[in-house]
Amino acid sequence: MNYKKLENLANRYVKSTNVYDNYLYFPNQFKDKRDIEISALFASLFNYGKQLDSMCAIEHVIVEMMNNRPFEYIHGDEYCNYIDNYHTLYCFNTYHNFAMLCNRLRKVYNKYDDLESAVIHTLEQPRNGAKNYAQSVMKLLSGETMVLSPQTKVGNKSINTFLRIMADEQPMGMNIWSINKKKLIVPIDLQIIIAAVDLGIVAKQDSSTYVCMNKITDYARKVFPDEPYRLEYSLRQYYLENGCREK
């Protein structure tokens, strides 16, 4: 498929997106940068499974547990009540994981004005070993949290989605981080991989999500050199329009 067709697919996907029907709804409810960062992070981490279940889980955390005050909640210690609570919060994440992530975020905000500053500083320090923005976020927030270790070689849709939300313009993002969009990685999931296989961007035998992520991102930088993550929009729209099925 030529680049122009992929661009048209991306444009159609963006045009059809309704922020009130997906996880983007939550960060759009806030004005304070830190509230947006926290709500977007949890929304991204829970952005899998059935959409209704995912939305309910995000609402439970942001509205019911944090009382629509994410930064104030993180800055307090109420989340400590969930430490060692291994009951399921959503799918394979527990309340303990939630509490430990809150604790990580609190440490970040105690040291930096915002999460963006922390991510950029971590990436700029060679001793931290972060090679990209995603690894920087993972370096800061991984542990007994919902965030994977930066050494884990997987597609990591959640963190790459979070970064895209922070950098991209409305309606697909919040555009509150001044990071280099050219260096962002394409968020991938099964739909994206199936569409990429159908278009010959990756081979069916590329079973590793990590390999697929790198190949799709390399291709994206040819199509959308300034905003490679836009290929996600192209592939998702292609999947929707063509009724792709795993071959």
Side-chain angles (χ1 to χ4, degrees):
M1 180 173 288
N2 65 47
Y3 293 176
K4 185 62 178 177
K5 289 183 179 179
L6 289 169
E7 183 178 350
N8 289 338
L9 282 167
N11 291 337
R12 289 202 295 277
Y13 184 77
V14 171
K15 187 176 181 180
S16 66
T17 295
N18 183 348
V19 298
Y20 296 102
D21 285 341
N22 62 38
Y23 59 94
L24 287 166
Y25 168 81
F26 296 95
N28 271 287
Q29 301 308 299
F30 301 102
K31 299 297 183 182
D32 185 274
K33 182 177 182 179
R34 297 162 301 184
D35 285 330
I36 295 171
E37 290 176 336
I38 296 167
S39 60
L41 177 64
F42 278 99
S44 299
L45 289 169
F46 287 165
N47 178 32
Y48 62 91
K50 294 182 179 179
Q51 183 174 349
L52 180 59
D53 293 343
S54 172
M55 291 286 284
C56 288
I58 300 167
E59 183 177 39
H60 175 56
V61 168
I62 303 299
V63 179
E64 298 174 12
M65 296 176 69
M66 295 183 170
N67 200 24
N68 271 325
R69 296 194 297 268
F71 177 71
E72 184 178 321
Y73 182 89
I74 294 295
H75 201 60
D77 59 3
E78 188 177 345
Y79 65 82
C80 294
N81 295 328
Y82 296 106
I83 293 176
D84 295 330
N85 181 340
Y86 294 98
H87 288 93
T88 300
L89 173 57
Y90 178 60
C91 291
F92 48 80
N93 290 308
T94 67
Y95 283 91
H96 175 76
N97 297 140
F98 163 79
M100 298 307 289
L101 179 54
C102 289
N103 190 54
R104 285 278 189 170
L105 285 166
R106 182 178 183 178
K107 290 179 179 178
V108 167
Y109 287 117
N110 282 342
K111 186 174 181 180
Y112 300 93
D113 291 337
D114 47 53
L115 184 54
E116 177 188 16
S117 301
V119 169
I120 292 173
H121 181 264
T122 300
L123 183 59
E124 290 176 345
Q125 301 301 313
R127 67 177 182 275
N128 291 320
K131 297 179 180 179
N132 51 53
Y133 293 118
Q135 288 188 358
S136 182
V137 174
M138 295 159 77
K139 180 75 176 179
L140 287 163
L141 302 179
S142 63
E144 293 183 71
T145 68
M146 307 172 194
V147 179
L148 297 173
S149 163
Q151 281 74 46
T152 306
K153 292 189 175 182
V154 295
N156 208 342
K157 172 189 173 184
S158 297
I159 298 303
N160 290 320
T161 297
F162 168 68
L163 289 165
R164 187 256 292 162
I165 293 173
M166 293 294 94
D168 200 9
E169 298 178 359
Q170 293 277 4
M172 304 306 296
M174 302 304 297
N175 193 28
I176 62 169
W177 280 19
S178 299
I179 55 179
N180 188 344
K181 296 179 182 180
K182 295 180 181 180
K183 296 184 177 181
L184 294 183
I185 298 169
V186 179
I188 69 165
D189 56 18
L190 185 57
Q191 286 187 3
I192 298 300
I193 293 173
I194 291 173
V197 169
D198 202 56
L199 291 171
I201 297 172
V202 297
K204 186 179 180 181
Q205 57 265 33
D206 293 328
S207 56
S208 164
T209 58
Y210 181 75
V211 171
C212 289
M213 177 189 72
N214 288 325
K215 286 190 174 183
I216 291 171
T217 299
D218 287 344
Y219 187 85
R221 290 188 171 124
K222 300 174 184 176
V223 185
F224 302 105
D226 295 327
E227 300 173 323
Y229 52 81
R230 283 181 62 82
L231 186 62
E232 177 199 359
Y233 311 154
S234 305
L235 296 177
R236 208 168 292 285
Q237 187 66 22
Y238 178 86
Y239 181 94
L240 294 172
E241 291 182 2
N242 292 276
C244 293
R245 294 292 182 269
E246 187 172 9
K247 296 182 178 180

